Amino acid sequence: MNWDDLRIVAAVRDEGSYAGASARLRIDETTVGRRLGRIERALGLRLFEAVDGVRKPTRQCEMVLTHVQAMAGHVAEIGRVGEDLPGLTGRFRIAATNAVAEEFLAPRAAGFLAQNPGLAVQFLTTGENVKCSRWQADLAIRLRKPDKGDFTIAKLGEFALYLIEPATEADTGPVICAYPDDLGPIPESQFLKAKGLQDRSRFVTDNIRVIKTLVKTHQAAGILPSYLCGELLADRRLRATLLPRRRDVWLLVQNHLKRDAAARVVIDWVRDCFQGFSKG
């Protein structure tokens, strides 16, 4: 069965003649007769009878037309599918550290998703060494530039680092907070090592919020990014030292997503999340 042929059956029924169906469908009258004959041969049925110069559908034709009308309804619905779609669609996995996800992405996620109802994001809050090359994430925000990988790398920005310590020296000295050995190359660990503080550290974690919690007790010293230091810099019981090196923020994107329209919207949103934050 050919849908164009079936439309002719409905047109002949509605117009009552081959000529009327020809004018309605803008095809030759001979073509109307030829296509109807093709359907009748395929079905082994007679579809129309001439009654007083009008083409009247047979009982069998009425049965066929019931299905044709249903098909016409489905065709109309198909044509409206584009009107019902919520724009771009897709689900994207974004890997980031807990602090980055909480401070930069989460506050702006609700507004972004409200503007793009067809998109969904999944935050993979994990350590810095995101296995982007193993397809565990579509996008990753990292605080260290990877040496290699099958993905596109772009710099999102940078932020300052502060050594926060008690303003008044205690007899025993503050508890030094340090990072694990596998984070030795980062500016924080390098600074502590250069100042002779790394060997004196008695508290080790890769969670900067935990370090902040200890520093707020006024009994510990640790290095924190500027975006977490607002209240600490205003605390007169603490002393802040600006580190000479800053920390870079990098965006990693799976190569196959670079030409994906929905992915581009998500990538642009991630970039915007880092546009307004204080780098001082």
Coordinates of all heavy atoms in Angstrom, one line a residue, residues 210-273:
V210 N 36.8 20.2 54.5 CA 37.3 19.7 55.8 C 38.4 20.5 56.3 O 38.4 20.9 57.5 CB 37.7 18.2 55.6 CG1 38.4 17.7 56.9 CG2 36.5 17.3 55.3
I211 N 39.3 20.9 55.4 CA 40.4 21.8 55.8 C 39.8 23.1 56.3 O 40.3 23.7 57.4 CB 41.3 22.1 54.6 CG1 42.1 20.8 54.3 CG2 42.4 23.2 55.0 CD1 43.0 20.9 53.1
K212 N 38.8 23.7 55.6 CA 38.2 24.9 56.1 C 37.6 24.8 57.5 O 37.7 25.7 58.3 CB 37.1 25.4 55.1 CG 36.4 26.7 55.4 CD 35.4 27.1 54.4 CE 34.7 28.4 54.8 NZ 33.7 28.8 53.8
T213 N 37.0 23.7 57.7 CA 36.4 23.4 59.0 C 37.4 23.5 60.1 O 37.2 24.0 61.2 CB 35.6 22.1 59.0 OG1 34.6 22.1 58.1 CG2 35.0 21.8 60.4
L214 N 38.6 22.8 59.9 CA 39.6 22.8 60.9 C 40.2 24.2 61.1 O 40.4 24.7 62.2 CB 40.7 21.9 60.5 CG 40.7 20.5 61.1 CD1 39.5 19.7 60.5 CD2 42.0 19.7 60.9
V215 N 40.4 25.0 60.0 CA 40.9 26.3 60.0 C 40.0 27.2 60.9 O 40.5 28.1 61.6 CB 41.2 26.9 58.6 CG1 41.5 28.4 58.7 CG2 42.3 26.1 57.9
K216 N 38.7 27.0 60.7 CA 37.8 27.9 61.5 C 37.8 27.7 63.0 O 37.3 28.5 63.7 CB 36.4 27.6 61.0 CG 36.1 28.2 59.6 CD 34.7 27.7 59.0 CE 33.6 28.3 59.8 NZ 32.3 27.9 59.2
T217 N 38.5 26.6 63.4 CA 38.6 26.4 64.9 C 39.7 27.3 65.5 O 39.9 27.3 66.7 CB 38.9 24.9 65.2 OG1 40.2 24.6 64.7 CG2 37.9 24.0 64.6
H218 N 40.5 27.9 64.6 CA 41.6 28.8 65.0 C 42.8 28.0 65.7 O 43.6 28.5 66.4 CB 41.2 29.9 66.0 CG 40.0 30.7 65.5 ND1 38.7 30.5 65.9 CD2 40.0 31.7 64.5 CE1 37.9 31.3 65.2 NE2 38.6 32.1 64.4
Q219 N 42.8 26.7 65.3 CA 43.9 25.9 65.9 C 44.6 25.1 64.7 O 45.5 24.3 65.0 CB 43.3 24.8 66.8 CG 42.6 25.4 68.0 CD 42.0 24.4 68.9 OE1 42.7 23.6 69.5 NE2 40.7 24.3 69.0
A220 N 44.3 25.4 63.5 CA 44.9 24.7 62.4 C 45.2 25.7 61.3 O 44.7 26.8 61.2 CB 43.9 23.7 61.8
A221 N 46.1 25.3 60.4 CA 46.6 26.1 59.3 C 46.4 25.2 58.0 O 46.8 24.1 58.0 CB 48.0 26.6 59.4
G222 N 46.0 25.9 56.9 CA 45.8 25.1 55.7 C 45.6 26.1 54.5 O 45.4 27.3 54.7
I223 N 45.8 25.6 53.3 CA 45.7 26.4 52.1 C 44.3 26.1 51.5 O 43.9 25.0 51.3 CB 46.8 26.0 51.1 CG1 48.2 26.3 51.8 CG2 46.7 26.8 49.8 CD1 49.4 26.0 50.9
L224 N 43.7 27.2 51.1 CA 42.3 27.2 50.6 C 42.2 28.1 49.4 O 42.9 29.1 49.3 CB 41.3 27.6 51.6 CG 41.1 26.7 52.9 CD1 40.3 27.3 53.9 CD2 40.5 25.3 52.4
P225 N 41.3 27.7 48.4 CA 41.1 28.6 47.3 C 40.3 29.8 47.7 O 39.6 29.8 48.6 CB 40.2 27.7 46.3 CG 39.5 26.7 47.3 CD 40.5 26.5 48.4
S226 N 40.5 30.9 46.9 CA 39.9 32.2 47.3 C 38.4 32.1 47.4 O 37.8 32.8 48.2 CB 40.3 33.2 46.2 OG 39.9 32.8 44.9
Y227 N 37.7 31.3 46.6 CA 36.3 31.3 46.6 C 35.7 30.7 47.9 O 34.5 30.8 48.1 CB 35.7 30.6 45.4 CG 36.1 29.1 45.2 CD1 35.4 28.1 45.9 CD2 37.1 28.7 44.4 CE1 35.8 26.8 45.7 CE2 37.5 27.4 44.2 CZ 36.8 26.4 44.9 OH 37.1 25.1 44.7
L228 N 36.6 30.1 48.7 CA 36.1 29.6 50.0 C 36.6 30.4 51.2 O 36.3 30.1 52.3 CB 36.6 28.1 50.2 CG 35.9 27.0 49.4 CD1 36.5 25.7 49.8 CD2 34.4 27.1 49.6
C229 N 37.3 31.5 50.9 CA 38.0 32.3 52.0 C 37.3 33.5 52.4 O 37.8 34.2 53.3 CB 39.4 32.6 51.5 SG 40.5 31.2 51.3
G230 N 36.1 33.8 51.9 CA 35.5 35.1 52.2 C 35.4 35.4 53.7 O 35.9 36.4 54.2
E231 N 34.7 34.5 54.4 CA 34.5 34.7 55.9 C 35.8 34.6 56.6 O 36.0 35.2 57.7 CB 33.5 33.8 56.4 CG 33.9 32.3 56.3 CD 32.8 31.4 56.8 OE1 32.5 31.4 58.0 OE2 32.2 30.6 55.9
L232 N 36.7 33.8 56.1 CA 38.0 33.6 56.8 C 38.9 34.8 56.7 O 39.6 35.2 57.7 CB 38.7 32.4 56.3 CG 38.0 31.0 56.3 CD1 38.8 29.9 55.7 CD2 37.6 30.7 57.7
L233 N 38.9 35.5 55.6 CA 39.7 36.7 55.4 C 39.2 37.8 56.3 O 39.9 38.7 56.6 CB 39.6 37.1 53.9 CG 40.3 36.2 52.9 CD1 40.1 36.7 51.5 CD2 41.7 36.0 53.2
A234 N 37.9 37.8 56.7 CA 37.4 38.8 57.6 C 37.5 38.5 59.0 O 37.2 39.3 59.9 CB 35.9 39.0 57.2
D235 N 38.0 37.3 59.3 CA 38.2 36.9 60.7 C 39.5 37.4 61.3 O 40.6 37.0 60.8 CB 38.1 35.3 60.8 CG 38.0 34.8 62.2 OD1 38.5 35.5 63.2 OD2 37.6 33.7 62.4
R236 N 39.5 38.3 62.2 CA 40.7 38.9 62.8 C 41.5 37.9 63.6 O 42.7 38.2 63.9 CB 40.3 40.1 63.6 CG 39.7 41.2 62.8 CD 39.4 42.4 63.7 NE 38.9 43.6 62.9 CZ 38.6 44.8 63.5 NH1 38.9 45.0 64.8 NH2 38.1 45.7 62.7
R237 N 41.0 36.8 63.9 CA 41.7 35.8 64.7 C 42.5 34.9 63.7 O 43.3 34.0 64.1 CB 40.8 34.9 65.5 CG 40.1 35.7 66.6 CD 39.0 34.9 67.3 NE 39.6 33.8 68.0 CZ 38.9 32.8 68.6 NH1 37.6 32.9 68.6 NH2 39.6 31.9 69.3
L238 N 42.4 35.2 62.4 CA 43.2 34.4 61.4 C 44.0 35.3 60.6 O 43.7 36.5 60.4 CB 42.2 33.6 60.5 CG 41.3 32.6 61.1 CD1 40.3 32.1 60.1 CD2 42.1 31.4 61.7
R239 N 45.1 34.8 60.1 CA 46.0 35.5 59.2 C 46.1 34.8 57.9 O 46.2 33.6 57.8 CB 47.4 35.5 59.9 CG 48.5 36.3 59.0 CD 49.8 36.5 59.8 NE 50.5 35.2 60.0 CZ 50.6 34.7 61.3 NH1 50.1 35.3 62.3 NH2 51.2 33.5 61.5
A240 N 46.0 35.6 56.8 CA 46.0 35.1 55.5 C 47.2 35.5 54.7 O 47.6 36.7 54.7 CB 44.8 35.5 54.7
T241 N 47.9 34.6 54.0 CA 49.0 34.8 53.2 C 48.7 34.4 51.7 O 48.4 33.2 51.5 CB 50.3 34.1 53.6 OG1 50.5 34.5 55.0 CG2 51.5 34.4 52.8
L242 N 48.8 35.4 50.8 CA 48.5 35.0 49.4 C 49.6 34.3 48.8 O 50.8 34.7 48.8 CB 48.2 36.3 48.6 CG 47.9 36.2 47.1 CD1 46.6 35.5 46.9 CD2 47.9 37.6 46.5
L243 N 49.3 33.1 48.2 CA 50.4 32.4 47.6 C 50.8 33.0 46.3 O 50.0 33.6 45.6 CB 49.9 30.9 47.3 CG 50.2 29.9 48.4 CD1 49.4 30.3 49.7 CD2 49.7 28.5 48.0
P244 N 52.1 32.8 45.9 CA 52.5 33.4 44.6 C 51.9 32.8 43.4 O 51.8 33.4 42.3 CB 54.0 33.2 44.7 CG 54.3 32.1 45.6 CD 53.2 32.2 46.6
R245 N 51.6 31.5 43.5 CA 51.0 30.8 42.4 C 49.5 30.7 42.5 O 48.9 30.6 43.6 CB 51.6 29.3 42.3 CG 53.1 29.3 41.9 CD 53.5 27.9 41.7 NE 52.8 27.1 40.8 CZ 52.9 25.8 40.6 NH1 53.7 25.1 41.4 NH2 52.1 25.1 39.8
R246 N 48.8 30.7 41.4 CA 47.4 30.5 41.3 C 47.0 29.1 40.8 O 47.9 28.4 40.4 CB 46.7 31.6 40.4 CG 47.1 33.0 40.8 CD 46.7 34.0 39.8 NE 45.3 34.2 39.7 CZ 44.6 35.1 40.4 NH1 45.2 35.9 41.3 NH2 43.3 35.3 40.3
R247 N 45.7 28.8 41.0 CA 45.3 27.4 40.6 C 44.4 27.5 39.3 O 43.5 28.3 39.2 CB 44.5 26.8 41.7 CG 44.2 25.3 41.5 CD 45.5 24.5 41.9 NE 45.3 23.1 41.7 CZ 44.8 22.3 42.6 NH1 44.4 22.7 43.7 NH2 44.7 21.0 42.3
D248 N 44.8 26.8 38.3 CA 44.0 26.8 37.0 C 42.8 25.9 37.1 O 42.8 24.9 37.8 CB 44.9 26.4 35.9 CG 46.0 27.4 35.6 OD1 45.9 28.5 36.0 OD2 47.1 26.9 35.1
V249 N 41.8 26.2 36.3 CA 40.6 25.3 36.2 C 40.5 25.0 34.7 O 40.5 25.9 33.8 CB 39.3 26.1 36.7 CG1 38.1 25.1 36.7 CG2 39.5 26.7 38.0
W250 N 40.3 23.7 34.4 CA 40.3 23.2 33.1 C 39.0 22.5 32.8 O 38.5 21.8 33.6 CB 41.5 22.2 32.8 CG 42.8 22.9 33.0 CD1 43.5 22.9 34.2 CD2 43.6 23.6 32.1 NE1 44.7 23.7 34.0 CE2 44.7 24.1 32.7 CE3 43.4 24.0 30.7 CZ2 45.7 24.9 32.1 CZ3 44.4 24.7 30.1 CH2 45.5 25.1 30.8
L251 N 38.6 22.6 31.5 CA 37.4 21.9 31.1 C 37.8 20.8 30.1 O 38.5 21.2 29.1 CB 36.4 22.9 30.4 CG 35.1 22.2 29.8 CD1 34.3 21.5 30.8 CD2 34.3 23.3 29.1
L252 N 37.4 19.6 30.3 CA 37.7 18.5 29.4 C 36.3 18.1 28.8 O 35.4 17.9 29.5 CB 38.3 17.3 30.1 CG 39.8 17.4 30.5 CD1 40.1 18.6 31.4 CD2 40.2 16.1 31.2
V253 N 36.3 17.9 27.4 CA 35.1 17.5 26.7 C 35.4 16.4 25.8 O 36.4 16.4 25.0 CB 34.6 18.7 25.9 CG1 33.3 18.3 25.1 CG2 34.3 19.9 26.8
Q254 N 34.6 15.4 25.8 CA 34.8 14.3 24.9 C 34.7 14.8 23.4 O 33.8 15.6 23.1 CB 33.7 13.2 25.1 CG 33.7 12.5 26.4 CD 34.8 11.5 26.5 OE1 35.6 11.3 25.6 NE2 34.9 10.8 27.7
N255 N 35.6 14.4 22.6 CA 35.8 14.9 21.3 C 34.5 14.8 20.4 O 34.2 15.7 19.6 CB 36.9 14.3 20.5 CG 38.3 14.8 21.0 OD1 38.4 16.0 21.4 ND2 39.3 13.9 21.0
H256 N 33.8 13.7 20.6 CA 32.6 13.5 19.8 C 31.4 14.4 20.1 O 30.5 14.5 19.3 CB 32.1 12.0 19.9 CG 31.4 11.7 21.2 ND1 32.2 11.5 22.4 CD2 30.1 11.7 21.6 CE1 31.3 11.3 23.4 NE2 30.1 11.4 22.9
L257 N 31.6 15.2 21.2 CA 30.5 16.1 21.6 C 30.7 17.5 21.1 O 29.8 18.4 21.2 CB 30.4 16.2 23.1 CG 30.0 14.9 23.8 CD1 30.0 15.1 25.3 CD2 28.6 14.5 23.4
K258 N 31.8 17.8 20.4 CA 32.1 19.1 20.0 C 31.1 19.7 19.0 O 30.9 20.9 18.9 CB 33.6 19.2 19.4 CG 34.6 19.0 20.5 CD 36.0 19.3 19.9 CE 36.4 18.3 18.8 NZ 37.8 18.5 18.3
R259 N 30.6 18.8 18.2 CA 29.6 19.2 17.1 C 28.2 18.9 17.5 O 27.3 19.0 16.7 CB 30.0 18.6 15.8 CG 31.3 19.1 15.2 CD 31.6 18.5 13.9 NE 32.0 17.1 14.1 CZ 33.2 16.7 14.4 NH1 34.2 17.6 14.6 NH2 33.5 15.4 14.6
D260 N 28.0 18.5 18.7 CA 26.6 18.2 19.2 C 26.0 19.4 19.7 O 26.5 20.1 20.7 CB 26.7 17.1 20.3 CG 25.3 16.7 20.8 OD1 24.7 17.5 21.5 OD2 24.9 15.5 20.5
A261 N 24.8 19.8 19.2 CA 24.2 21.1 19.5 C 23.8 21.2 21.0 O 24.0 22.2 21.7 CB 23.0 21.3 18.6
A262 N 23.3 20.1 21.5 CA 22.9 20.1 22.9 C 24.1 20.2 23.8 O 24.1 20.9 24.8 CB 22.1 18.8 23.2
A263 N 25.2 19.5 23.5 CA 26.4 19.5 24.3 C 27.0 20.9 24.3 O 27.5 21.3 25.3 CB 27.4 18.5 23.7
R264 N 26.9 21.6 23.1 CA 27.4 22.9 23.1 C 26.7 23.9 24.1 O 27.3 24.7 24.7 CB 27.3 23.5 21.7 CG 28.2 22.9 20.6 CD 29.7 23.0 21.0 NE 30.1 24.3 21.5 CZ 31.3 24.5 22.0 NH1 32.1 23.5 22.0 NH2 31.6 25.7 22.5
V265 N 25.4 23.7 24.2 CA 24.7 24.5 25.2 C 25.2 24.2 26.6 O 25.3 25.1 27.4 CB 23.2 24.2 25.1 CG1 22.4 24.8 26.2 CG2 22.6 24.6 23.7
V266 N 25.4 23.0 26.9 CA 25.9 22.6 28.3 C 27.3 23.2 28.5 O 27.6 23.7 29.5 CB 25.9 21.1 28.4 CG1 26.5 20.7 29.8 CG2 24.5 20.5 28.3
I267 N 28.2 23.0 27.4 CA 29.5 23.6 27.5 C 29.5 25.1 27.8 O 30.3 25.6 28.6 CB 30.3 23.2 26.3 CG1 30.5 21.7 26.2 CG2 31.6 23.9 26.2 CD1 31.0 21.2 24.8
D268 N 28.7 25.8 27.0 CA 28.6 27.2 27.2 C 28.1 27.6 28.6 O 28.6 28.6 29.2 CB 27.7 27.8 26.1 CG 28.3 27.8 24.7 OD1 29.5 27.6 24.6 OD2 27.5 27.9 23.8
W269 N 27.2 26.8 29.1 CA 26.7 27.0 30.5 C 27.8 26.9 31.5 O 28.0 27.7 32.4 CB 25.5 26.1 30.8 CG 25.2 26.1 32.2 CD1 24.6 27.1 32.9 CD2 25.4 25.1 33.2 NE1 24.4 26.8 34.3 CE2 24.9 25.5 34.4 CE3 25.9 23.8 33.1 CZ2 24.9 24.7 35.6 CZ3 25.9 23.0 34.2 CH2 25.4 23.4 35.4
V270 N 28.6 25.8 31.3 CA 29.7 25.6 32.3 C 30.7 26.8 32.2 O 31.1 27.3 33.2 CB 30.4 24.3 31.9 CG1 31.7 24.1 32.7 CG2 29.6 23.1 32.2
R271 N 31.0 27.2 31.0 CA 31.8 28.4 30.9 C 31.3 29.6 31.6 O 32.0 30.4 32.3 CB 32.1 28.7 29.4 CG 32.9 27.7 28.7 CD 33.1 28.1 27.2 NE 33.9 27.2 26.5 CZ 35.3 27.2 26.4 NH1 35.9 28.1 27.2 NH2 35.9 26.3 25.7
D272 N 30.0 29.8 31.4 CA 29.3 31.0 32.1 C 29.4 30.9 33.6 O 29.5 31.9 34.3 CB 27.9 31.1 31.6 CG 27.7 31.5 30.2 OD1 28.7 32.0 29.6 OD2 26.6 31.3 29.6
C273 N 29.3 29.6 34.1 CA 29.4 29.4 35.6 C 30.7 30.0 36.2 O 30.7 30.4 37.3 CB 29.3 28.0 35.9 SG 27.6 27.3 35.7

